[in-house]
Amino acid sequence: ILNVEQSPQSLHVQEGDSTNFTCSFPSSNFYALHWYRWETAKSPEALFVMTLNGDEKKKGRISATLNTKEGYSYLYIKGSQPEDSATYLCAFDSNYQLIWGAGTKLIIKP
Amino acid sequence: DAGVTQSPTHLIKTRGQQVTLRCSPKSGHDTVSWYQQALGQGPQFIFQYYEEEERQRGNFPDRFSGHQFPNYSSELNVNALLLGDSALYLCASMTPNTEAFFGQGTRLTVV
């Protein structure tokens, strides 16, 4: 059974602080690793799709790294803002099937 | 481009009934996946359709079935509804190794 784990489950961060969280996934049958942001009452929105070991992607204040050999990815948010409050989901892409983690719920405190 | 659209947005059904949920994928996407999200959990993969065939299936009973039409739109059918089937059902469309685009979901409540 392929399992994707995210930690922590939830996170409270002071506005302006930087933070990061982890996605662990199987190191075999790897096609891609996806990160999504899911805000309440909205659909999940894709942040990154990462395919290469050592890949690092950045979108504004958000960046992600990928280690396919050891099976983990980090998502970093620099200078957190209230609009960053959301659940961040990662998904392991194995032959077209996305296997999801349970998410990290990020709450930014003003 | 309307993106991924799902219907209906909300639905209330009685135990034992059957339900059909619908999804129209984003233009240019040929693959449709269905997910169930229970409260407080991440999405659980139900199945994926490509070229009108079920390509992969998650750990869901046979009560969950689907269909994909030639225009790539898809239906999710659930028979003999149980209270535990109450959840948000999401449809996502994609092309291989690209990001998935999600619909707004159908909130199903079984009473």
Side-chain angles (χ1 to χ4, degrees), chain A residues 8-27:
Chain A
Q9 188 174 7
S10 64
L11 195 53
H12 288 72
V13 174
Q14 196 69 41
E15 182 178 352
D17 288 351
S18 297
T19 187
N20 65 85
F21 27 92
T22 307
C23 173
S24 300
F25 53 87
S27 54

Side-chain angles (χ1 to χ4, degrees), chain A residues 31 34 36 38 41-44 46 49 89 93-98 100-102, chain B residues 35 37 41-43 45 48 55-56 88 90 94 96-100 102-104:
Chain A
Y31 280 74
H34 298 230
Y36 291 82
W38 197 347
K42 294 184 179 180
S43 305
V49 179
L89 294 164
D93 187 340
S94 172
N95 193 22
Y96 302 117
Q97 178 183 351
L98 289 181
W100 295 84
Chain B
Y35 300 86
Q37 190 192 28
Q41 297 185 20
F45 174 74
Q48 182 181 83
R55 176 155 59 184
Q56 295 219 357
L88 179 69
L90 291 167
M94 62 193 293
N97 290 335
T98 64
E99 62 191 74
F102 286 82
Q104 293 283 359

Side-chain angles (χ1 to χ4, degrees), chain B residues 13-19 36 61 63-64 78-87 89 108-111:
Chain B
K13 289 286 190 178
T14 305
R15 273 180 301 176
Q17 284 189 313
Q18 179 263 344
V19 68
Q36 180 195 67
R63 299 186 297 109
F64 289 76
V78 187
N79 293 322
L81 284 167
L82 304 174
L83 294 179
D85 295 331
S86 295
Y89 289 85
L108 173 65
T109 303
V110 182
V111 297

